[in-house]
Structure formats: structure tokens, C-alpha cells
Amino acid sequence: MAGKGYYFWENNYERALDFANNPPGKTKSTKPSVLGAVIDLQSCLDFLDTDYLRLVQYSYQSLELIASKFELELPVNRSGKGTKDLVLRNLDCAVIEHLHSIQQASKFRPFGSARGVFVEGAELYPGAGFHEKNHVQICIRNPNCIK
């Protein structure tokens, strides 16, 4: 999970509908639906860019230091019902939210969106690097990004 916001699956209607029908850790909707949108990513925290990945790593190290100092436990990413995939991304969400708070405290421009690749599901064939539920997920934090 890329933090708090509105979630989109880039160019993948079927994966979005699958998520709506089978939300990890949440109650199923009685009438799941998928909406399309035109999105301007604006100041995007892009998990496909090395510089942003370093920021995420720094955020984790900072969060870990704070947790250690105050003897707190960090959240943990967990698998969902019926899957080994870590789809309940409590740690990832905490790290990203911490990064947003660092940005705000430092008076840097806030990220309006976050975008990354998520590898999920069974291998398409033995030894494959491709999985049945791979997707690019976009989290919109600033609703003005949705056109």
C-alpha cells in the first residue's frame, strides 16, 4: 500500500475489478465497480525511480530509529486470505506516511501521488518472473490530480 489516498490500477480494468471483488482484509462490497479516470500524477512518488526508492529507504530507517528510541514495534506486512502475497502492507503504508510527514516537516512540496509495480499471484509458469496479478498501482493523495 502506498499510503492514504484513492487507488487506481494503471490500464488494468480486470485487476481493479478483481480487487474490488476480493479486497484483502476488508469486507466484500455487494456491488463492486470500477471507474476510469484521467490522472495528472503531479509531484509523484514513483517507486520505479531510484531517487525516490532511496527516499523510501531513508524513511524506513528514520521510522525504525524512532520505533527503537521509543520501544515501539513497527507494523508488519502480512499475507491476505488464501494467498502468500503480502497484500496487507501495514509496514509499507507506515513508511510511506512517515515519508509524507518528513516532506511536510521539511516544507518540501508534498507528493500528490505515488506509483509502483506490485508483483502478486502465482507464477504464470514454473520459474517465471511474471505473475498472474502483477500490476501498476497509483495512489492519488491530492484529489486535484484526478481530472
Side-chain angles (χ1 to χ4, degrees), residues 103-140:
Q103 289 284 108
Q104 185 176 16
S106 301
K107 305 260 192 266
F108 292 131
R109 180 179 180 192
F111 293 110
S113 62
R115 177 179 178 265
V117 171
F118 293 86
V119 176
E120 292 178 17
E123 294 177 337
L124 292 181
Y125 46 87
F130 306 107
H131 293 74
E132 65 185 2
K133 293 186 177 184
N134 289 358
H135 61 280
V136 174
Q137 195 173 77
I138 299 170
C139 175
I140 300 298

Side-chain angles (χ1 to χ4, degrees), residues 7 27 34 38 42 44 54 69 72 88 110 117 121 132 147:
Y7 278 81
T27 305
V34 176
V38 174
Q42 296 182 14
C44 181
R54 287 186 186 124
K69 181 177 178 177
L72 301 170
L88 302 173
V117 171
E132 65 185 2
K147 303 300 177 191

Side-chain angles (χ1 to χ4, degrees), residues 52-143:
Y52 291 116
L53 289 173
R54 287 186 186 124
L55 280 177
V56 172
Q57 186 175 37
Y58 168 77
S59 177
Y60 171 78
Q61 292 165 345
S62 171
L63 190 61
E64 184 180 42
L65 186 64
I66 291 167
S68 175
K69 181 177 178 177
F70 293 101
E71 298 180 1
L72 301 170
E73 287 189 35
L74 288 174
V76 176
N77 291 339
R78 299 187 190 282
S79 59
K81 256 192 254 181
T83 180
K84 294 178 184 175
D85 295 326
L86 299 176
V87 293
L88 302 173
R89 297 178 181 265
N90 301 317
L91 175 60
D92 294 346
C93 185
V95 169
I96 300 308
E97 288 300 317
H98 184 62
L99 177 56
H100 290 301
S101 67
I102 292 170
Q103 289 284 108
Q104 185 176 16
S106 301
K107 305 260 192 266
F108 292 131
R109 180 179 180 192
F111 293 110
S113 62
R115 177 179 178 265
V117 171
F118 293 86
V119 176
E120 292 178 17
E123 294 177 337
L124 292 181
Y125 46 87
F130 306 107
H131 293 74
E132 65 185 2
K133 293 186 177 184
N134 289 358
H135 61 280
V136 174
Q137 195 173 77
I138 299 170
C139 175
I140 300 298
R141 293 183 64 85
N142 178 350

Side-chain angles (χ1 to χ4, degrees), residues 9-43:
W9 280 254
E10 186 174 292
N11 300 319
N12 197 336
Y13 171 85
E14 283 188 45
R15 182 64 187 103
L17 185 59
D18 177 58
F19 182 85
N21 281 313
N22 304 292
K26 298 179 181 167
T27 305
K28 287 185 181 186
S29 172
T30 56
K31 292 185 179 182
S33 58
V34 176
L35 300 174
V38 174
I39 298 172
D40 177 0
L41 293 179
Q42 296 182 14
S43 185

